[in-house]
């Protein structure tokens, strides 16, 4: 058989490598910013258009390249940063693989302008799909400008795979944050579609954080400092009362490189234990300095995990440093714990002396006499008039006002028959309910018993109601007497702007939306004023995790978040009227069997099932 193996041509090999290095525009941004930093720049500009799909440009004032270096820099494994394998264990630069430029040039239109300090004149290179198509001497300041246009122009499948401009922009912003936070002594400018969205002067770590995440951040930060032989920790955590629903602001930097470490994250979270609610996340900006020889960053170019020699020690040191910081800055006693009301001793009982239990005997007690008082018996079945359903809602309305009137969910051109089993009128008879463990609502139907998860049921009811509001656009808004002003980071504001339409149709009203704050003048009738901040926080967090492409799924996410946040929770006691209303509302839903998060809402037990248990 003839030989069939051959070496791939460089441009093909580069394209394959590019598949790993460049996943999306944000990967290019990361590589270019890191190169600018490695070149010793102290002013770096990032310019993007259309989420980086049309243009990504990084301009720096670093050391620049000679003409020969400029050409070489686009070769694979061409790097000035290491010369031998040992260097890998003593890295002080971001890059070292010599892959980035070669990969980027394989899949985009690239234009490089560069000049060194000593050269009189610089060089301009144009490369398309790994081919140099133009090289000219050019007058340009010291430093480098690298311009990447039409990313993935020659790989349509990859180009189509990219998300919307807004989503890609958000990924780019995340990368930008990471690099800018790690290098506060470098001045950064970031322009998006022609407008400057970040202008970060040279500063210290604290100011850099504040410049990125907004003025209000300053008061939230608690410094963390610890220095031992193996590790230096510095940076900030946010005070527990500012813990957020979103995991947004959590940053670890090791030797000024952003990393992800679930293990170290756990150390931080455990230091906060007991100080914040379990579904909230602490913010942190932590800078660890370790001996470069004790870490291994020789990992995949796009990954951000690194290996530490002695993770356990790091864990313990980090945890204690944070505990110490929380204690030292008197954060702990100032806390306002959220307590379970039911665990608290009511004030009027506090001074009472405990009574000594006494045994009393009823001498006339006859266990065989049927003298159980009527009132203590749970009525097994109580017939409800045909108007029972409506009555329940009327009662509910007058009790808790309109906000709990989730009964009127109806979808145009559809009549809803509320029944568990199709065509069975069983549910019409629901009139008695019982709450079990503050979690389930139990009710009887003709064939037996239904056990309903109260939280999931309410989620379903709210969800359908929100979706309906969004689609028919007639939500009732509750005007606030005093507008609420909330501060957010710029990227959070960008998300709010993205979902603004959905929020408006739900009944939110915004007075102003600024760079780092919003003023809210109206809220949906179902959202308590005190929870607006939390609800928006949660919306941003969920949206970040799961940014949708179209407006349908956008309203879906918004509705899901709202129903999750606002639904009755496990542990909440419901009076019998609310229980009843909830059950009936549930069975009036379009889909009453599964929660919006695909969990079963109730289980049934028929008489037969119960009989079997008695065998
Ligand atoms: P790496 O950063 O891993 O060395 P790259 O492909 O990113 O690989 O870059 C290749 C080389 O090009 C670098 O080692 C560096 O010498 C040079 N280079 C890239 N960007 C710049 C820049 N902005 N300023 C000066 N030199 C640069
Ligand atoms: Mg590089």
């Amino acid at each position: 058989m003839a030989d069939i193996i051959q070496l791939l041509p460089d441009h093909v090999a580069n394209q394959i490598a590019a598949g790993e290095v460049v996943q999306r525009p944000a990967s290019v941004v990361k590589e270019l910013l890191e190169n600018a930093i490695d070149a010793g720049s102290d002013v770096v500009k990032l310019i993007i258009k259309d989420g980086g799909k049309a243009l990504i440009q990084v301009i720096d004032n670093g050391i620049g390249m000679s003409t020969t270096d400029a050409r070489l820099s686009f070769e694979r494994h061409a790097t000035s940063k290491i010369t031998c394998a040992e260097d890998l264990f003593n890295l002080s630069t971001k890059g070292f693989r010599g892959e980035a430029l070669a990969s980027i040039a394989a899949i985009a239109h690239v234009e490089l302008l560069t000049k060194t300090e000593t050269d009189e004149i610089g060089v301009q290179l144009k490369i398309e799909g790994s081919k140099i198509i133009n090289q000219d001497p050019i007058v340009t300041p010291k430093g480098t400008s690298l311009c990447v246009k039409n990313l993935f122009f020659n790989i349509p499948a990859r180009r189509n795979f990219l998300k919307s401009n807004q989503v890609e922009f958000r990924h780019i912003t995340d990368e930008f944050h990471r690099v800018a936070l790690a290098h506060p002594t470098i001045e950064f400018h970031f322009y998006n579609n022609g407008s400057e969205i970040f202008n970060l002067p040279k500063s210290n770590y604290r100011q850099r954080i504040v410049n990125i995440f907004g003025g209000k951040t300053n008061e939230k930060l608690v410094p963390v400092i610890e220095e031992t032989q193996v590790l230096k920790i510095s940076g900030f955590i946010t005070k527990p009362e500012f813990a957020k629903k979103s995991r947004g602001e959590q940053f670890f930097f090791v030797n000024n490189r952003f990393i992800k470490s679930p293990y170290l994250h756990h150390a931080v979270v455990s230091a906060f234990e007991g100080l914040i609610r379990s579904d909230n996340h602490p913010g942190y900006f932590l800078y660890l300095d370790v001996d470069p020889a004790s870490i291994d960053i020789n990992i995949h170019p796009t990954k951000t995990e690194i290996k530490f020699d002695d993770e356990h020690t790091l864990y313990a040191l980090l945890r204690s440093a944070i505990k110490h910081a929380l204690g030292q800055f008197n954060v702990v006693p100032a806390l306002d714990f959220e307590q379970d009301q039911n665990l608290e001793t009511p004030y009027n009982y506090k001074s009472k002396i405990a009574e000594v239990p006494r045994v009393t005997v009823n001498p006339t007690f006859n266990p065989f006499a049927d003298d159980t008082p009527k009132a203590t018996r749970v009525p097994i079945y109580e017939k409800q008039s045909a108007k029972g359903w409506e009555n329940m809602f009327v009662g509910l309305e007058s009790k808790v006002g309109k906000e709990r009137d989730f009964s009127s969910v109806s979808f145009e051109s559809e009549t809803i028959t509320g029944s568990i089993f199709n065509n069975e009128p069983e549910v019409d008879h629901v009139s008695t309910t019982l709450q079990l463990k503050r979690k389930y609502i139990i009710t009887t139907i003709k064939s037996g018993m239904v056990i309903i998860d109260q939280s999931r049921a309410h989620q379903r009811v709210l969800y359908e109601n929100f979706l309906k509001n969004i689609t028919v656009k007639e939500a009732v808004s509750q005007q606030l007497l005093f507008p609420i002003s909330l501060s957010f980071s710029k990227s959070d504001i960008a998300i709010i702007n993205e979902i603004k339409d959905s929020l408006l149709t739900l009944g939110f009203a915004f007075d102003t939306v600024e760079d780092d704050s919003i003023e809210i003048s109206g809220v949906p009738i179902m959202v308590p004023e005190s929870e607006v901040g939390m609800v928006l926080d949660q919306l941003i967090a969920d949206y970040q995790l799961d940014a949708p492409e179209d407006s349908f799924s956008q309203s879906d996410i918004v509705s899901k978040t709202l129903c999750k946040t606002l639904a009755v929770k496990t542990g909440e006691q419901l009076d019998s009227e609310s229980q009843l209303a909830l059950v009936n509302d549930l069975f009036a839903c379009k889909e009453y069997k599964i929660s919006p998060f695909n969990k079963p809402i109730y289980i049934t037990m028929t008489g037969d099932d119960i009989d079997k248990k008695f065998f």
Side-chain angles (χ1 to χ4, degrees):
M1 193 175 119
D3 300 335
I4 50 171
I5 298 181
Q6 48 179 312
L7 283 175
L8 288 175
D10 269 354
H11 69 275
V12 180
N14 284 338
Q15 228 185 63
I16 294 170
E20 293 184 23
V21 180
V22 184
Q23 285 166 345
R24 55 182 357 141
S27 340
V28 175
V29 169
K30 172 173 186 269
E31 293 298 337
L32 298 189
L33 289 177
E34 290 188 347
N35 279 348
I37 291 165
D38 284 346
S41 322
D42 63 0
V43 179
V44 176
K45 291 184 184 149
L46 167 65
I47 300 161
I48 64 161
K49 285 206 176 112
D50 299 341
K53 292 175 195 169
L55 170 76
I56 299 165
Q57 183 173 16
V58 171
I59 305 169
D60 67 47
N61 64 351
I63 56 172
M65 285 179 268
S66 68
T67 304
T68 321
D69 279 353
R71 286 192 71 121
L72 251 183
S73 68
F74 290 98
E75 296 294 324
R76 210 138 62 96
H77 308 306
T79 179
S80 56
K81 298 170 193 175
I82 57 172
T83 51
C84 58
E86 280 77 64
D87 290 350
L88 272 179
F89 303 101
N90 201 5
L91 280 172
S92 58
T93 54
K94 311 268 157 200
F96 56 87
R97 296 167 161 266
E99 266 182 342
L101 291 189
S103 301
I104 294 166
I107 45 138
H109 295 165
V110 174
E111 193 183 313
L112 169 77
L113 296 179
T114 188
K115 189 184 95 66
T116 63
E117 175 98 73
T118 49
D119 286 338
E120 290 277 301
I121 200 126
V123 61
Q124 179 190 47
L125 278 184
K126 284 190 182 160
I127 303 176
E128 290 182 4
S130 296
K131 279 196 212 63
I132 297 191
I133 55 167
N134 192 36
Q135 176 181 337
D136 277 325
I138 197 163
V139 177
T140 176
K142 173 203 158 212
T144 303
S145 154
L146 215 130
C147 184
V148 177
K149 289 181 185 161
N150 309 323
L151 194 64
F152 296 129
F153 78 98
N154 49 358
I155 319 179
R158 292 297 293 273
R159 197 172 169 87
N160 295 338
F161 181 72
L162 293 176
K163 296 271 162 75
S164 69
N165 291 353
Q166 286 159 331
V167 173
E168 295 302 340
F169 167 69
R170 200 148 61 233
H171 285 287
I172 291 172
T173 311
D174 284 346
E175 282 308 339
F176 177 79
H177 285 168
R178 293 166 181 180
V179 175
L181 284 170
H183 299 278
T185 54
I186 298 176
E187 177 182 326
F188 284 96
H189 300 261
F190 181 0
Y191 303 84
N192 179 36
N193 293 335
S195 53
E196 186 175 56
I197 53 168
F198 282 103
N199 174 346
L200 308 174
K202 292 188 178 81
S203 61
N204 58 26
Y205 285 112
R206 186 172 193 132
Q207 286 164 339
R208 179 54 55 93
I209 295 169
V210 171
N211 285 337
I212 292 179
F213 294 105
K216 296 262 166 63
T217 320
N218 198 23
E219 63 189 86
K220 302 180 186 173
L221 300 178
V222 177
V224 180
I225 307 153
E226 179 73 77
E227 198 160 352
T228 71
Q229 280 189 327
V230 286
L231 165 77
K232 183 172 164 253
I233 304 172
S234 60
F236 303 89
I237 48 177
T238 54
K239 291 178 188 162
E241 68 259 41
F242 297 108
K244 296 220 294 185
K245 288 279 173 191
S246 69
R247 297 184 57 160
E249 284 134 35
Q250 301 184 330
F251 298 90
F252 279 120
F253 301 91
V254 172
N255 297 354
N256 285 334
R257 180 192 294 272
F258 171 81
I259 61 138
K260 282 186 186 148
S261 166
Y263 186 66
L264 294 183
H265 170 78
H266 190 272
V268 179
V269 172
S270 77
F272 273 89
E273 216 164 66
L275 301 180
I276 57 176
R277 288 164 51 135
S278 59
D279 58 347
N280 277 359
H281 303 279
Y284 55 80
F285 308 84
L286 292 165
Y287 300 86
L288 315 185
D289 281 307
V290 297
D291 178 359
S294 75
I295 52 173
D296 178 5
I297 43 176
N298 190 11
I299 38 102
H300 191 277
T302 57
K303 295 239 173 78
T304 39
E305 287 91 12
I306 64 173
K307 280 207 206 98
F308 296 98
D309 274 358
D310 188 0
E311 265 193 335
H312 294 305
T313 314
L314 291 193
Y315 184 101
L317 285 174
L318 186 59
R319 184 164 184 265
S320 83
I322 289 171
K323 286 202 158 217
H324 185 72
L326 285 168
Q328 204 182 23
F329 287 85
N330 264 342
V331 175
V332 180
L335 275 180
D336 187 10
F337 285 97
E338 253 193 77
Q339 283 195 352
D340 185 347
Q341 298 281 313
N342 304 299
L343 294 180
E344 259 193 24
T345 320
Y347 281 108
N348 44 348
Y349 282 112
K350 275 194 174 147
S351 50
K352 278 201 177 168
I353 301 160
E355 254 177 66
V356 182
R358 281 175 302 158
V359 180
T360 48
V361 180
N362 176 2
T364 61
F365 177 68
N366 173 0
F368 302 105
D370 183 16
D371 61 351
T372 327
K374 279 258 178 307
T376 63
R377 261 204 222 156
V378 181
I380 294 164
Y381 179 81
E382 197 177 277
K383 197 158 168 47
Q384 187 85 28
S385 74
K387 291 195 80 182
W389 283 71
E390 292 86 324
N391 284 343
M392 275 165 219
F393 302 133
V394 171
L396 186 76
E397 240 172 14
S398 60
K399 180 136 193 280
V400 272
K402 226 173 153 36
E403 63 266 332
R404 291 263 164 175
D405 178 15
F406 29 64
S407 60
S408 51
V409 185
S410 68
F411 289 77
E412 309 95 278
S413 79
E414 237 174 302
T415 20
I416 289 131
T417 48
S419 91
I420 299 184
F421 308 103
N422 284 339
N423 309 325
E424 277 192 47
E426 293 198 281
V427 180
D428 282 349
H429 301 294
V430 170
S431 61
T432 316
T433 53
L434 210 151
Q435 197 182 17
L436 179 71
K437 301 190 116 178
R438 296 192 181 162
K439 182 169 187 190
Y440 300 108
I441 296 171
I442 302 180
T443 186
T444 50
I445 48 172
K446 242 193 246 163
S447 61
M449 179 166 95
V450 199
I451 305 174
I452 301 166
D453 182 307
Q454 65 185 41
S455 182
R456 291 181 191 173
H458 197 199
Q459 283 177 358
R460 167 53 69 186
V461 171
L462 290 174
Y463 174 71
E464 294 205 353
N465 203 9
F466 283 129
L467 265 192
K468 186 197 150 212
N469 279 343
I470 290 182
T471 37
V472 302
K473 299 186 201 282
E474 54 176 27
V476 194
S477 178
Q478 171 191 335
Q479 286 303 304
L480 300 175
L481 206 51
F482 303 103
I484 308 175
S485 168
L486 297 168
S487 65
F488 289 98
S489 70
K490 283 186 184 168
S491 43
D492 287 352
I493 294 282
I495 294 181
I496 291 178
N497 274 324
E498 265 177 64
I499 54 176
K500 207 168 155 194
D501 285 346
S502 300
L503 295 177
L504 291 176
T505 46
L506 275 171
F508 280 97
F510 298 97
D511 261 2
T512 50
V513 177
E514 274 167 15
D515 254 14
D516 57 0
S517 69
I518 54 171
E519 214 169 71
I520 296 172
S521 56
V523 293
I525 206 110
M526 276 177 250
V527 178
E529 199 177 323
S530 58
E531 283 179 24
V532 178
M534 193 203 35
V535 167
L536 284 175
D537 243 17
Q538 185 73 54
L539 273 169
I540 292 167
D542 289 354
Y543 199 80
Q544 251 166 351
L545 276 182
D546 197 9
E549 285 300 274
D550 50 68
S551 65
F552 171 76
S553 32
Q554 185 184 57
S555 19
D556 189 60
I557 289 189
V558 171
S559 305
K560 276 189 179 145
T561 299
L562 286 176
C563 79
K564 182 172 67 188
T565 323
L566 299 172
V568 160
K569 303 280 180 314
T570 294
E572 273 183 54
Q573 192 155 15
L574 299 179
D575 61 27
S576 44
E577 234 170 323
S578 316
Q579 294 173 26
L580 261 180
L582 180 56
V583 172
N584 287 311
D585 285 349
L586 172 67
F587 292 116
C589 280
K590 228 170 123 184
E591 168 57 84
Y592 45 77
K593 288 181 183 162
I594 7 181
S595 81
F597 305 94
N598 278 330
K599 303 260 175 57
I601 293 177
Y602 62 82
I603 54 162
T604 51
M605 268 186 128
T606 62
D608 284 351
D609 294 337
I610 299 171
D611 288 344
K612 275 184 206 139
K613 298 254 177 223
F614 283 97
F615 268 120

